Amino acid sequence: MQAAQQIDWLERTRRNMAAGASDMVDSIARIDVARYTDPARLAREQDLIFRRHPMAVSFSSKLAHPGDVVTHDLLGIPILLTRDREGRLNAFLNVCRHRGAKLVWQREQCGQRSLVCPYHAWTYDLVGRLRGIPHEEGFTQLDRATHGLARLQVAEAFGIVFVVPQPGEDYDFDGFFTTLRDDLDSFGLGSHVLYDEREIGIAGNWKLVVEGGLETYHVRQAHRATIAPMFADNVAVADRLGRHARLYFTKRNAAELQGQPLEGKSVRDYGNPLYYIFPNLVILVQPDHATVMAVFPQGTDTCIVQGGALIPEPPQNDKARLHWDRNVKIFWDALDEDFQMAQAIQPGFRSGANSHVTFGRFEQGCIWFHEEMDRVLDSGQSKTQN
């Protein structure tokens, strides 16, 4: 985050702390609870949002060396990532071009020189080219050049690997990340390494889990047993960044900013900057590392969270491991409270008690989240109808 942006955030934080208030939008918003229970709505989200936008599917440090291979299956589409012998990152559909078998079954491999289908042993290189066909005399009319692996658009940013799951033309990743890249690059996340990766199943709609990171209103009550004592009650700074958002979870020590010059001070010392990346990714920047959470729908009432910590370097000794274990535990313990809340809300939606959800003026992150989804879904529907 640039120095001018940090000063702006700290100035707004100081003002909000003095007033005991938060940034707010002009009006409340109401949405129908069917958004969380309707299978047709979920199908449209998966088609128009999760298939056609960049998805965080892995971490750069898991593909740090030539021959590293990672698979990802949480989008309902088998995805395969490789670091080829030239050091380039590649993404493909994890599907053999012979009979459609899943090509790589392991979640992670290293030191690979080729990819061999477990069904008939068709072999591909790490760039996706078809290199070997057993008993090739049976395929004399086959054009190898058109039977390479189906390529997906891929990019690395902030230590995370993003893939557009639907094959197609070049994707404008720079345009997608334009309002985020300067901030997140300034925290050095691109050179950080993954620590304590986790995958957690939740009996709740995916949007409930994302919403838990988009407002500070719930912290005092929902997190009273974990992180609430560290944070000011519902004092936040929030910026809309196109389809994305940037929020500041303000710590109690931000009261020290009153009457102090702000030049040279770091936002990491007085709160946690949180970045929401459309549609399902949250990056929480902490004093010496960041934590990452991506949410993948598995049904109207179920989802899977995949995430972990990005730390400056692999721990070199037990003392360093203990430090990171303690820090990461705080993150996951707080998230577990959010997950439990989502799992309690979902049956309530099914009960018929409420016809709608109401978001307050200081829950603007949730409002923006739904507005951006509506914009994409409405645009996709109109194109289909035309």
Side-chain angles (χ1 to χ4, degrees):
M1 179 178 284
Q2 301 302 314
Q5 182 62 59
Q6 296 203 54
I7 291 174
D8 173 70
W9 257 24
L10 292 174
E11 176 57 44
R12 291 161 64 188
T13 297
R14 181 163 61 185
R15 186 168 60 246
N16 286 350
M17 286 289 285
S22 179
D23 285 0
M24 293 191 288
V25 292
D26 292 337
S27 61
I28 66 173
R30 292 163 51 130
I31 64 169
D32 195 315
V33 298
R35 292 182 183 223
Y36 304 88
T37 60
D38 180 16
R41 164 82 184 203
L42 176 61
R44 292 176 59 224
E45 291 171 352
Q46 290 176 316
D47 179 29
L48 298 174
I49 295 177
F50 282 87
R51 300 287 191 267
R52 308 187 191 191
H53 292 81
M55 295 288 123
V57 297
S58 192
F59 295 85
S60 296
S61 59
K62 293 178 69 173
L63 292 141
H65 306 104
D68 287 348
V69 175
V70 171
T71 62
H72 187 276
D73 295 305
L74 298 182
L75 287 159
I77 293 174
I79 293 173
L80 172 64
L81 305 169
T82 70
R83 185 75 70 181
D84 64 34
R85 308 315 297 180
E86 304 300 320
R88 294 168 301 197
L89 183 65
N90 303 275
F92 311 99
L93 292 177
N94 189 14
V95 178
C96 180
R97 299 300 305 280
H98 172 213
R99 298 266 296 278
K102 186 174 184 178
L103 182 62
V104 178
W105 291 22
Q106 296 93 333
R107 298 186 67 172
E108 299 176 30
Q109 296 178 335
C110 59
Q112 299 300 300
R113 293 188 172 275
S114 61
L115 309 168
V116 181
C117 179
Y119 198 8
H120 298 95
W122 280 33
T123 301
Y124 304 82
D125 63 19
L126 298 178
V127 186
R129 294 171 294 206
L130 178 59
R131 289 305 197 190
I133 302 175
H135 302 287
E136 191 166 6
E137 67 276 10
F139 297 91
T140 52
Q141 290 83 27
L142 182 77
D143 180 4
R144 283 196 186 196
T146 62
H147 283 72
L149 299 179
R151 183 172 290 275
L152 301 174
Q153 298 301 307
V154 62
E156 294 177 272
F158 339 123
I160 300 170
V161 177
F162 293 84
V163 169
V164 180
Q166 180 170 288
E169 299 177 357
D170 289 347
Y171 189 89
D172 181 14
F173 286 103
D174 287 338
F176 183 77
F177 293 128
T178 183
T179 52
L180 300 163
R181 190 180 292 278
D182 286 348
D183 273 21
L184 289 168
D185 282 349
S186 73
F187 296 125
L189 302 186
S191 62
H192 282 30
V193 298
L194 177 64
Y195 187 77
D196 194 7
E197 184 178 23
R198 301 192 189 188
E199 190 173 295
I200 302 169
I202 299 164
N205 188 273
W206 73 276
K207 294 183 286 294
L208 289 172
V209 178
V210 173
E211 289 166 2
L214 299 183
E215 47 89 0
T216 64
Y217 185 38
H218 74 288
V219 172
R220 179 179 180 181
Q221 180 66 17
H223 297 305
R224 61 189 183 279
T226 54
I227 61 174
M230 294 186 288
F231 290 90
D233 180 23
N234 200 31
V235 175
V237 173
D239 297 318
R240 192 171 191 169
L241 304 174
R243 288 183 176 166
H244 318 300
R246 178 176 59 198
L247 295 90
Y248 192 44
F249 282 63
T250 307
K251 291 183 177 178
R252 293 180 184 271
N253 71 334
E256 301 169 5
L257 296 171
Q258 301 301 327
Q260 297 295 318
L262 300 180
E263 289 76 8
K265 295 188 183 300
S266 170
V267 294
R268 299 178 85 168
D269 293 333
Y270 300 98
N272 290 340
L274 181 144
Y275 292 82
Y276 160 69
I277 301 179
F278 183 86
N280 68 329
L281 179 65
V282 172
I283 301 175
L284 184 68
V285 178
Q286 303 194 49
D288 57 359
H289 69 293
T291 40
V292 180
M293 175 188 79
V295 190
F296 300 95
Q298 304 298 297
T300 55
D301 293 37
T302 58
C303 63
I304 290 178
V305 168
Q306 191 175 55
L310 286 172
I311 64 175
E313 62 181 10
Q316 302 299 314
N317 51 51
D318 289 343
K319 181 179 178 180
R321 278 186 286 275
L322 180 60
H323 168 78
W324 294 120
D325 286 344
R326 286 173 174 170
N327 276 272
V328 173
K329 183 178 186 301
I330 293 171
F331 172 72
W332 286 114
D333 283 352
L335 274 186
D336 184 63
E337 292 169 334
D338 287 333
F339 300 160
Q340 295 302 319
M341 196 62 64
Q343 293 184 136
I345 291 171
Q346 191 69 28
F349 285 157
R350 293 286 185 186
S351 74
N354 295 326
S355 63
H356 64 272
V357 171
T358 302
F359 294 116
R361 294 173 57 205
F362 39 64
E363 295 175 293
Q364 65 269 65
C366 298
I367 296 173
W368 298 337
F369 168 55
H370 285 277
E371 286 178 348
E372 292 303 324
M373 280 197 297
D374 286 349
R375 185 171 289 115
V376 172
L377 295 179
D378 292 345
S379 172
Q381 184 179 50
S382 131
K383 289 178 182 177
T384 300
Q385 290 171 343
N386 291 339

